[in-house]
């Protein structure tokens, strides 16, 4: 919630960032400093979610290997349980090529975002709109991929309420997904403002701030992709 | 500071007309300067600070009544004054309220009111986010307390260990209220932390280097960093619990293989920095009060600063000492016992530096000073009892007994709250423009000292005699009768001490009104920091012009100088060199409805999560509307009174006289 | 108005202080160790207390002395006669940074030693007991058949053992703890031999509890889904009390503990007696009528081991894996214990539980020395929730049996009194 | 942390440091894409244990640093006056998170 407020403040709020652009004690913009502090705080948030996931995965796997009937029954696809036992990991659950594509899309959106910022700092409003739109679109593709993946998991029996792993996985990726969605809303807002002619070069910092947020969300996915998907 | 050196003009982007009255056609812009509407929509850090303080005192009365109920129940063995269920709710809510809705917000009240004044800024970096923080805290606190009327309060202890916090073991909605209410106050803390850190780092007056900031500013800065990094952790723990309780997830479902220790770790990673962020503002306050009334500078300023930073840093490395008996294994116990031992070092440095400040001083023992000395002595007791159970083997006998209850009350009541009382008496004239009565203040102090020590002193003995915490009742044969009785007597004396303070507040106001509202002057204490260089009460715009900072305790150095014999003489009176409080041409951020509305959407969503998800729809709608309303509303309103006046020349003149 | 008599008040206070410090009526006192482990802890903490006391006197006394010495009445204060403006003293400050650090490092060395010493002693010894926390009573399991395990706990063929034995990876805690005929389950009262270290394997069936017998050792949590290890040691026979010290829900305050320490020979005798099944009362007696009530009303949750096939069939040995159902105390030798209901109520009159010189023989045949506390047992069965708060309606805790007739209740109590 | 509270009246642009060109951004992106591809490849090569995990972690960190440094401009902000405050604010969060959560996971690992 608070990030939404911070972001809302920064998205169109000119006052703070106006005088922030002028001299301050550190000669830095207030909004940008606040954004970085917020991102520093977010590290603790995602760190807690990732550790929760790691612990839950370890405990889930122990139960599966030990054959705890409650946990085994929570996965409706019995072959999957067999595969997990054989592999000694939860790896068989994941569809790595699909997720790799998602990760690639998100990386690409980061590029689009940085190009959007470049465009507005050069007062190139046409390119600004193109790249803002592209970023939002790629983000939406990523979210669509998430939804597809969640549905597939649900069919295999890894549900949010069914097992410890499910709860941890969906909460971690869901939290990330909410962050991406929030970013998309901000990007769309910027796009509308731009079309209304209210997003000019003197507000390049607003785009930069949304960009910082967007790149951070991307970076978190870089971690999640490796830790959750690639490392068994 | 741009805000001073630049003409105080907030430029609007092209397309926005100045003074857009109703950005979404919903409201017209709030205009009132007084009355309820002003308080609801204000973005002035001083008013927000006052609201933080008043709300915290209001919650303190609720938490205090809960404390008295606990003490009545425990005054005699096998008492049935409170049922087991009621007792569990009362002690849980007492702890939760006192920590989250009293001590933390009073710290926030002082930080809000004082930080901009002490660093020479006109307001915080983000005034509307500041208002939003307050309303989140207040509405979250009200929501938490509404559980009393909606099926009972939380009954799992403030630490709320899993799996006892699950629906299976706590079927009432109490823990849901605890969870959602504290999530909302967490948002308040986090946004407040970002705001205040930015303010301190980025809005200092010219010349105010980091190492020239008052100690209170330093301690608040460390506090805000602790919040910045600790709040997300409790947020995650609470989200996990929320998922478990409301959406049937399995994070703490042992049957599915979950590990209950995960909760303990997440909770205490937050919980221990929490302890330090409650005490550090009080440390900051007494570090201002003691030098003022000892007529000496603080002893070892850099050590005070760095020990504060060290406490903040080490505060993140000791959390598992709350889990020495959880079976985390001797390796972890050893590591955390050692780190806990060594956090005593910077704390000890602080205490000894205060003592050294007293040494050789000419002490004016007014109420603020008495409370500060009360903090030093009582916190020392709490700190030393802390060392005794940092020893992990002894801790296996002492943890979860009344010994611990005694320990943390000595730290948080005898320490933090005594410090806050000192702060109230000290800064009252700056906040409200009149002094608190000294005679009543001294009664207040001595009653509280006697009551406090009689209440919590015996708890050391009770704990060592083996009385565990969180017990609804105990048996006659256990030998706890005597000291429990005296503790209850003490708690009522303590409560009357608090009432004396509240009486003093109203009495002083009444007498001041009757005496024709005499002004105490900008500098009634002959104080040291720059908030005393402006009028009392602090004018709405804080500073007429930029203070130019040359040294630590800059205002004091303006008043005193050495004469030809090298002897310090008073060369100027505070009242003579203070800024006149002329706000001509100053343009302030305009009030706004949106922070209040955005904050109000959160409890709505919270009630929705607890009772019916349908309720979240209006809450979510209000949230989206408020976010966009906020974003589209110019923070500035050029039609506002005060008028906009371009004093460029004036400012240039002031700037030219500055020696940097 | 009567004047407050200061001298009388001070005398009263002094007398109460004296009374408090002399009386030895504090069964949970942490300053009276009665066993090896508790003694180790006591020794490690007591010297810290003296150090802390000295620091306390120096700092607090110093602060107060400086305050009194330095005070100046506001009206006497001269703005032009300031005290020396000392900004600090690097050496002093470094001194009181480094000195406490060195000092703390010094006291850390024995502390770390003690931590490991207390932990290493938990290795399997002669007697291993499993401690299981329940809302709101304790279950103790004895490894009678001497196979080193507390039996096939979850029925998957893998065994739980004390530390260092058994399948340590198999750590998921099953909520249906199967009973084993060969091993012994004793609720509420732990019985151990004197002078011998008893190693404990702890876990919980529901929420986190904490096992604490202050005179025998510090505390250790029992965590559901985890095994933790601890041990106790008592020098002398006697009864030692404790209390669950981790908040465990509604009736936390009535989850109390009792440890009876017997001389070794008597302990062996006790163990043999406890391992024997109980007898079914003869047909036609009141006790038999009570037994029938037990089979129909109580055996759903409570276990009594005997050779009656009807009873064996009446309840399942494996409790349903239902978190709320849980397992209720095993009543096979109900009347051999001195406490019931989470060690909250005494089962016998005429025992002073705090008497350290108690003839320990009486624990073998309690009925010989005290009168069975029929009134409390009856009141308990009739309406347990009113005597100890429980979620009986949520199948957690004992429901009230006020629907039973007075005759049935009397007979039931009579039967329970025979279970010694 | 140095502080320069110079009362400046000029609009001091914080964009006066050189940002990469568009081509450079594309090149960085290509680098990231290649690393990602390599990560996926590595996870399919059948390594196990440290041979699998260590390179993956290293590649993850490299990506992290590149995105934070180039896309989030930390490398360029570092060069501007007081710009390292941004890096420090962010790094503080990362360091605290790493230290704290590694310890948590370790306490579960070494609990005997």
């Amino acid at each position: 919630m608070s990030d939404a407020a911070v972001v809302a403040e920064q998205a169109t709020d000119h006052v703070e960032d106006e005088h922030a652009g002028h001299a301050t004690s550190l000669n830095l913009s207030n909004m940008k400093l606040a954004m970085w502090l917020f991102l520093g705080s977010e590290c603790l948030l995602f760190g807690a979610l990732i550790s929760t996931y790691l612990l839950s995965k370890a405990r889930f796997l122990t139960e599966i290997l030990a054959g705890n009937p409650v946990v085994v029954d929570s996965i409706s696809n019995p072959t999957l349980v067999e595969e997990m036992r054989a592999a000694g990991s939860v790896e068989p659950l994941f569809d790595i090529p699909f997720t790799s594509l998602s990760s690639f899309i998100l990386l690409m959106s980061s590029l689009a975002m940085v190009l959007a910022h470049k465009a507005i700092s050069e007062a190139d409003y046409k390119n600004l709109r193109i790249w803002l739109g592209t970023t939002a679109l790629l983000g939406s593709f990523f979210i669509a991929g998430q939804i597809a993946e969640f549905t597939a998991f649900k069919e295999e029996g890894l549900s949010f309420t069914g097992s410890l792993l499910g709860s941890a996985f969906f909460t971690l990726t869901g939290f990330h997904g909410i962050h991406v969605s929030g970013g998309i809303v901000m990007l769309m807002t910027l796009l509308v403002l731009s079309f209304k002619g209210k997003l000019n070069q003197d507000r390049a910092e607003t785009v930069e701030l949304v960009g910082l947020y967007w790149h951070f969300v991307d970076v978190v996915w870089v971690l999640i992709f490796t830790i959750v998907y690639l490392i068994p | 500071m741009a805000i001073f050196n630049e003409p105080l003009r907030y430029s609007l982007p092209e397309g926005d007309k100045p003074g857009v009255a109703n950005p979404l056609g919903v409201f017209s812009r709030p205009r009132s300067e007084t009355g309820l509407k002003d308080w609801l929509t204000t973005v002035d850090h001083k008013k927000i600070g006052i609201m933080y303080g008043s709300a915290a005192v209001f919650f303190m009365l609720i938490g205090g009544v809960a404390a008295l109920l606990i003490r009545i129940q425990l005054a005699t063995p096998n008492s049935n004054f409170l049922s087991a269920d009621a007792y569990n709710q009362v002690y849980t809510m007492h702890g939760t309220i006192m920590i989250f809705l009293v001590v933390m917000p009073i710290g926030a009240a002082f930080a809000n009111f004082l930080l901009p004044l002490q660093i020479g800024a006109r307001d915080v970096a983000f005034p509307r986010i500041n208002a939003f923080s307050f309303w989140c805290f207040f509405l979250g606190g009200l929501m938490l307390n509404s559980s009393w009327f909606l099926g009972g309060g939380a009954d799992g202890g403030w630490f709320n260990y899993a799996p006892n916090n699950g629906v299976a073991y706590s079927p009432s909605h109490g823990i849901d209220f605890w969870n959602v209410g504290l999530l909302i106050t967490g948002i308040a803390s986090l946004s407040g932390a970002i705001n205040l850190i930015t303010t301190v780092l980025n809005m200092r007056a010219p010349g105010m280097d980091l190492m020239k900031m008052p100690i209170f500013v330093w301690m608040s800065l460390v506090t805000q960093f602790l919040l910045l990094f600790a709040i997300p952790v409790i947020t995650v723990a609470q989200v996990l619990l929320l998922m478990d309780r409301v959406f049937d997830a399995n994070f703490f479902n042992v049957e599915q293989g979950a590990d209950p220790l995960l909760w303990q770790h997440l909770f205490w990673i937050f919980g221990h920095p929490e302890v330090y962020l409650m005490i550090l503002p009080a440390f900051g306050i007494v570090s201002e009060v003691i030098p003022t009334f000892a007529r000496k500078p603080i002893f070892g300023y850099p050590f005070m600063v760095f020990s504060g930073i060290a406490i903040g840093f080490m505060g993140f490395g000791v959390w598992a000492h709350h889990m020495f008996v959880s079976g985390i294994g001797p390796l972890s116990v050893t590591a955390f016992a050692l780190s806990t031992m060594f956090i005593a070092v910077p704390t000890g440095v602080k205490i000894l530096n205060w003592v050294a400040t007293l040494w050789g001083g000419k002490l004016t023992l007014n109420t603020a000073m008495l409370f500060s000395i009360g903090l030093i002595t009582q916190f020392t007791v709490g700190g030393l009892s802390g060392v005794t159970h940092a020893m992990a083997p002894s801790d296996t006998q002492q943890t979860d007994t009344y010994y611990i209850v005694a320990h943390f009350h000595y730290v948080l009541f005898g320490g933090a709250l005594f410090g806050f009382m000192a702060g109230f008496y000290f800064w009252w004239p700056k906040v409200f423009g009149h002094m608190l009565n000294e005679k009543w203040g001294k009664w207040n102090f001595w009653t509280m000292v006697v009551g406090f020590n009689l209440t919590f002193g015996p708890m050391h003995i009770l704990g060592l005699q083996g009385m565990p915490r969180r017990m609804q009742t105990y048996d006659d044969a256990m030998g706890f009768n005597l000291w429990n009785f005296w503790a209850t007597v003490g708690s009522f004396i303590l409560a009357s001490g608090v009432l004396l303070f509240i009486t003093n507040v109203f009495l002083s106001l009444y007498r001041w009104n009757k005496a024709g509202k005499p002004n105490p002057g900008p500098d009634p204490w002959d104080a040291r920091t720059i908030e005393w260089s402006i009028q009392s009460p602090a004018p709405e715009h804080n500073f007429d012009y930029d203070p130019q900072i040359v040294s630590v305790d800059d205002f004091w150095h303006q008043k005193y100088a050495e004469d030809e014999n090298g002897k310090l003489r008073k060369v100027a009176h505070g009242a003579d060199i203070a800024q006149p409080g002329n706000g001509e041409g100053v343009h302030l951020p305009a009030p706004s409805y949106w922070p209040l509305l955005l904050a109000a959407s959160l409890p709505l969503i919270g009630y929705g999560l607890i009772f019916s998800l349908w309720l979240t729809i209006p809450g979510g709608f209000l949230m989206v509307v408020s976010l966009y309303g906020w974003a589209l509303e110019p923070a500035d309103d050029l039609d506002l009174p005060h008028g906009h006046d371009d004093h460029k020349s004036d400012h240039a003149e002031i700037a030219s006289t500055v020696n940097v | 108005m009567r004047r407050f008599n200061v001298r009388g008040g001070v005398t009263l206070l002094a007398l109460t202080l004296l009374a408090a410090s002399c009386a030895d009526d504090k069964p949970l006192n942490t300053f009276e160790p009665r066993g090896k482990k508790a003694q180790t802890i006591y020794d490690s903490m007591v010297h810290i207390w003296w150090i802390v006391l000295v620091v306390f006197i120096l700092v607090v006394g110093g602060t107060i002395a400086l305050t009194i010495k330095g005070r100046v009445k506001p009206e006497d204060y001269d703005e032009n006669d300031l005290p020396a403006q000392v900004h600090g003293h690097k050496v002093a400050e470094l001194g009181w940074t480094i000195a406490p650090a060195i000092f703390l490092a010094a006291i850390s060395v024995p502390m770390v030693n003690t931590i490991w010493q207390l932990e290493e002693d938990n290795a399997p010894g002669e007697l291993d007991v499993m401690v299981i926390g329940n809302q709101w009573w304790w279950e103790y399991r004895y490894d009678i058949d001497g196979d080193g395990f507390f039996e096939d706990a979850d029925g998957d063929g893998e065994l739980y053992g004390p530390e260092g034995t058994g399948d340590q990876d198999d750590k998921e805690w099953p909520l249906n703890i199967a009973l084993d005929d060969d091993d012994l389950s004793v609720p509420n009262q732990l019985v151990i031999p004197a002078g011998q270290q008893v190693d404990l394997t702890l876990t919980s069936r529901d929420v986190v509890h904490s096992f604490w017998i202050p005179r025998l050792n510090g505390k250790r949590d029992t965590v559901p889904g985890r095994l933790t290890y601890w041990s106790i040691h008592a020098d002398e026979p006697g009864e030692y009390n404790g209390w669950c010290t981790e908040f465990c829900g509604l009736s936390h305050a009535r989850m109390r503990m009792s440890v009876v320490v017997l001389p070794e020979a008597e302990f062996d005798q006790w163990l043999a007696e406890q391992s024997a099944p109980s007898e079914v009362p003869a047909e036609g007696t009141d006790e038999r009528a009570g037994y029938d009530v037990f089979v129909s009303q109580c055996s759903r949750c409570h276990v009594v081991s005997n050779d009656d096939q009807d009873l064996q069939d009446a309840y399942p040995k494996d409790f349903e894996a239902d978190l709320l159902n849980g397992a209720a105390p095993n009543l096979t030798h109900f009347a051999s214990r001195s406490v019931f209901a989470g060690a909250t109520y005494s089962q016998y009159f005429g025992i002073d539980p705090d008497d350290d010189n108690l003839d320990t023989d009486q624990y073998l045949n309690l009925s010989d020395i005290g009168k069975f506390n029929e009134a409390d047992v009856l009141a308990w069965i009739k309406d347990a929730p009113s005597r100890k708060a429980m979620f009986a309606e949520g199948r957690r805790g004992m429901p009230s049996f006020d629907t039973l007739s007075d005759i049935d209740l009397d007979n039931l109590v009579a039967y329970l009194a025979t279970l010694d | 942390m140095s502080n320069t509270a110079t009362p400046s009246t000029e609009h001091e642009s914080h964009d006066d440091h050189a940002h990469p060109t568009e081509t450079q951004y594309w090149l960085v992106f290509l680098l990231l894409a290649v690393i990602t591809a390599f990560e996926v490849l590595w996870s399919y090569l059948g390594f196990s244990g440290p041979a699998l995990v260590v390179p993956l972690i290293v590649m993850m960190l490299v990506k992290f640093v590149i995105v934070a440094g180039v896309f989030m401009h930390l490398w360029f902000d570092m060069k501007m006056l007081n710009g390292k405050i941004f890096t420090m604010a962010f790094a503080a969060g990362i360091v605290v998170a790493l230290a704290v959560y590694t310890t948590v996971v370790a306490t579960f690992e070494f609990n005997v």
Side-chain angles (χ1 to χ4, degrees), chain B residues 592-634:
Chain B
S592 171
Y593 289 108
W594 300 115
L596 173 61
L597 287 174
L598 183 59
S601 71
L602 298 174
L604 267 183
I605 295 173
Y607 282 113
L609 287 172
I610 293 172
F611 292 114
S612 156
L613 288 178
W614 292 108
L615 261 177
T616 58
I617 294 175
F621 180 73
L622 180 60
M623 188 162 117
V624 172
V625 168
S626 311
L627 273 174
Y628 276 95
W630 180 327
L632 298 176
E633 175 187 73

Side-chain angles (χ1 to χ4, degrees), chain B residues 80-203:
Chain B
N80 278 321
F81 176 73
L82 292 176
S83 70
D85 184 27
Y87 182 85
N88 292 345
Q89 291 179 32
V90 166
Y91 96 77
T92 301
M93 292 295 278
H94 165 73
T96 308
I97 290 172
M98 287 305 191
I99 288 166
F100 291 97
L101 307 183
V102 179
V103 179
M104 279 172 78
I106 295 183
F110 280 109
N112 248 298
F113 194 93
L114 291 173
L115 286 192
L117 294 181
Q118 289 199 328
I119 61 172
R122 187 149 288 160
D123 207 318
V124 293
F126 310 108
R128 286 187 296 177
I129 290 184
N130 203 24
F132 170 72
S133 300
F134 167 74
W135 289 112
C136 272
F137 146 68
F138 184 60
L139 295 175
L142 283 186
M143 179 176 172
L144 178 66
N145 277 288
S146 70
S147 63
W148 293 117
F149 311 105
L150 295 168
D155 56 0
W158 89 282
F159 56 97
N160 234 328
Y161 273 5
N164 192 43
N165 58 11
V167 179
Y169 301 108
S170 183
S172 80
H173 279 309
I175 289 180
D176 294 320
F177 278 102
W178 181 90
N179 217 358
V180 179
L182 294 189
L183 275 170
I184 296 172
T185 60
I187 292 167
S189 302
L190 189 59
S191 51
I194 293 173
N195 199 347
L196 292 177
I197 294 172
T198 311
T199 307
V200 172
L201 289 183
N202 225 9
M203 300 188 68

Side-chain angles (χ1 to χ4, degrees), chain B residues 415-583:
Chain B
L417 227 62
F418 268 64
F420 292 148
M421 292 298 294
F424 284 143
Y425 278 90
F426 186 57
W427 278 294
W428 204 266
K430 189 55 66 189
V431 181
F432 295 108
H434 65 90
M435 317 279 276
L436 284 174
N437 186 305
E438 273 295 312
K439 202 173 148 206
W440 280 73
K442 286 189 176 134
W443 275 100
N444 173 10
F445 170 73
W446 287 109
T447 319
M448 277 177 80
V449 166
V450 171
F452 169 78
N453 286 291
L454 185 56
T455 310
F456 298 107
M459 289 186 186
H460 289 111
I461 305 172
L462 281 173
L464 294 174
Q465 287 172 351
M467 182 169 172
R469 296 166 72 178
R470 300 156 187 155
M471 290 301 179
Q472 178 235 350
T473 188
Y474 54 93
D475 207 67
D476 201 19
M478 292 168 175
F480 303 145
N481 303 7
L482 177 76
W483 292 119
N484 269 308
F485 173 75
W486 283 109
T488 303
V489 172
S491 68
F492 277 88
I493 299 176
L494 184 53
S496 48
V498 175
L499 285 183
L500 278 175
F501 171 68
I502 292 168
T503 314
N504 193 359
V505 167
F506 289 105
L507 190 89
S508 304
L509 180 66
Y510 172 77
R511 287 190 182 166
W512 178 63
N513 277 330
K514 225 171 131 187
K517 304 199 177 191
N519 193 305
D523 183 25
W525 307 115
D526 194 11
R528 311 179 74 85
T529 41
I530 57 170
E531 76 272 26
W532 302 101
S533 72
I534 55 173
Q535 296 299 316
S536 301
E540 198 183 353
H541 60 280
N542 294 359
F543 294 90
D544 306 342
Y545 51 85
D546 263 1
Q548 300 294 322
I549 306 303
V550 180
S551 60
V552 185
D553 293 340
D554 193 72
F555 185 52
W556 189 89
H557 287 284
Q558 292 176 35
K559 294 186 288 184
Y560 288 89
E562 287 181 1
D563 64 11
E564 59 277 10
N565 304 324
K567 188 164 169 52
L568 273 171
R569 295 274 172 202
K570 190 152 192 175
V571 292
H573 280 278
D576 301 335
I577 57 171
Q579 297 193 3
N582 178 3

Side-chain angles (χ1 to χ4, degrees), chain B residues 168 303 325 363 397 399 464 570, chain C residues 30 70 72 80 93 219 221:
Chain B
F303 273 72
V325 301
L363 314 181
Q397 290 284 25
T399 188
L464 294 174
K570 190 152 192 175
Chain C
T30 58
V72 172
N80 288 320
E93 289 160 50
K219 57 184 79 71
D221 285 358

Side-chain angles (χ1 to χ4, degrees), chain C residues 300-333:
Chain C
R300 180 74 189 83
C301 303
H302 290 286
V303 173
V304 164
S305 310
N306 59 25
D307 48 12
D308 178 14
Q309 197 55 47
D310 288 349
L311 182 62
Q312 305 298 328
D313 296 340
Y315 63 83
K317 274 193 174 179
D318 289 300
F319 290 96
E320 306 271 309
D322 180 342
L323 198 61
L324 302 179
N325 192 15
N330 181 313
L331 299 182
T332 309
H333 293 279

Side-chain angles (χ1 to χ4, degrees), chain B residues 194-508:
Chain B
I194 293 173
N195 199 347
L196 292 177
I197 294 172
T198 311
T199 307
V200 172
L201 289 183
N202 225 9
M203 300 188 68
R204 280 164 285 139
M208 182 165 278
D209 297 346
L210 289 174
M211 290 309 280
K212 286 178 188 162
M213 299 196 305
I215 301 274
F216 177 77
V217 175
W218 261 113
M219 294 305 114
S220 293
L221 182 63
V222 174
T223 301
Q224 301 308 323
F225 267 104
L226 284 169
L227 280 169
L228 185 73
F229 295 140
I231 292 290
V233 188
I234 184 77
T235 303
V236 168
Q238 288 178 327
V239 166
L240 301 186
L241 181 58
L242 187 81
M243 296 291 176
D244 263 18
R245 286 187 65 96
V246 178
F247 300 110
D248 212 13
N250 299 297
F251 290 106
F252 305 112
N253 182 351
V254 176
E255 204 179 344
Q256 289 275 12
D259 194 328
L261 289 195
L262 174 63
W263 172 272
Q264 299 188 13
H265 278 292
L266 290 180
F267 186 83
W268 290 118
I269 290 172
F270 151 79
H272 205 80
E274 167 81 13
V275 173
Y276 292 108
L277 67 87
M278 285 192 279
I279 189 69
L280 283 175
F283 281 1
I285 288 170
V286 298
S287 303
E288 301 298 321
V289 174
I290 290 176
T292 302
F293 296 117
R295 317 291 171 184
K296 278 176 70 197
I298 188 85
F299 191 87
Y301 173 92
F303 273 72
M304 289 303 265
V305 170
F306 288 123
S307 61
I309 297 172
I311 289 174
F313 182 72
M314 292 167 82
F316 277 99
V318 298
W319 76 88
H321 68 217
H322 297 266
M323 302 164 62
F324 278 161
V325 301
S326 294
I328 52 173
L331 193 64
S332 312
V333 169
T334 307
F336 281 98
L338 290 174
S339 64
T340 306
M341 284 272 178
F342 287 101
I343 204 165
V345 173
T347 321
V349 166
K350 282 199 169 312
I351 290 176
L352 292 171
N353 277 3
W354 289 324
V355 175
T357 309
L358 293 175
W359 190 303
K362 295 195 168 175
L363 314 181
T364 313
L365 292 184
N366 54 26
T367 312
M369 188 64 166
L370 285 174
F371 273 110
S372 303
I373 293 166
L375 179 143
I376 299 178
T377 49
Q378 289 168 165
F379 183 85
T380 302
V381 176
L384 289 174
S385 62
V387 173
T388 62
H389 52 254
M391 304 276 293
S394 348
D395 188 63
T396 62
Q397 290 284 25
Q398 289 153 4
T399 188
D400 280 326
T401 69
Y402 265 80
Y403 189 78
I404 305 292
V405 178
H407 160 72
F408 69 72
H409 279 97
Y410 265 86
V411 171
L412 289 181
F413 199 124
L417 227 62
F418 268 64
F420 292 148
M421 292 298 294
F424 284 143
Y425 278 90
F426 186 57
W427 278 294
W428 204 266
K430 189 55 66 189
V431 181
F432 295 108
H434 65 90
M435 317 279 276
L436 284 174
N437 186 305
E438 273 295 312
K439 202 173 148 206
W440 280 73
K442 286 189 176 134
W443 275 100
N444 173 10
F445 170 73
W446 287 109
T447 319
M448 277 177 80
V449 166
V450 171
F452 169 78
N453 286 291
L454 185 56
T455 310
F456 298 107
M459 289 186 186
H460 289 111
I461 305 172
L462 281 173
L464 294 174
Q465 287 172 351
M467 182 169 172
R469 296 166 72 178
R470 300 156 187 155
M471 290 301 179
Q472 178 235 350
T473 188
Y474 54 93
D475 207 67
D476 201 19
M478 292 168 175
F480 303 145
N481 303 7
L482 177 76
W483 292 119
N484 269 308
F485 173 75
W486 283 109
T488 303
V489 172
S491 68
F492 277 88
I493 299 176
L494 184 53
S496 48
V498 175
L499 285 183
L500 278 175
F501 171 68
I502 292 168
T503 314
N504 193 359
V505 167
F506 289 105
L507 190 89
S508 304

